[in-house]
Amino acid sequence: MAVGEDAGTIEKTAEKAAGEAVATTAATATAETLAVRYPVAPGYRVNVRSGPGTNYRIVKVLPYDARVPINCQCPGTTVSGPYGTTNLWSNIANSQFVSDAYINTGSDGYVAVRCA
């Protein structure tokens, strides 16, 4: 114990450091969850649409071997692709959606929260 410190001060300092470590770990886990990127079907250049359906305009086309984040998912137009037939669409960026039929999520259902 340093000169002028008491046991109560040391305990409080240790508790504060432990709390900061927990907060940092939680923030890192959240960032890692958001950083997950899923592969688009190999050999496909996939259309990215402004909404969850083929009736929405194409805003861009993904390059071959792209990997995309999934921010949220929602139902939309039914599409058939290399990963089956589904009406599930994934939001990969603001106003950018891709059919789940072209994303290898490893699941036939939701892998992210529903879009609001």
Side-chain angles (χ1 to χ4, degrees):
M1 191 172 343
V3 176
E5 286 186 317
D6 63 10
T9 302
I10 293 173
E11 271 183 27
K12 288 179 184 171
T13 302
E15 287 173 4
K16 181 180 176 188
E20 288 172 355
V22 168
T24 300
T25 302
T28 301
T30 301
E32 288 172 358
T33 301
L34 295 175
V36 173
R37 298 177 79 83
Y38 297 90
V40 172
Y44 288 87
R45 295 194 65 219
V46 178
N47 292 333
V48 178
R49 296 187 176 268
S50 62
T54 55
N55 54 320
Y56 290 88
R57 70 183 176 83
I58 297 170
V59 294
K60 70 179 183 179
V61 179
L62 295 174
Y64 293 111
D65 301 321
R67 296 180 71 85
V68 296
I70 297 178
N71 302 320
C72 61
Q73 294 176 297
C74 61
T77 305
T78 299
V79 173
S80 292
Y83 299 116
T85 300
T86 183
N87 72 336
L88 191 58
W89 286 73
S90 297
N91 173 270
I92 63 168
N94 189 30
S95 296
Q96 295 184 20
F97 291 81
V98 175
S99 170
D100 199 52
Y102 289 90
I103 302 174
N104 186 1
T105 62
S107 173
D108 287 335
Y110 286 85
V111 297
V113 298
R114 284 189 177 233
C115 300

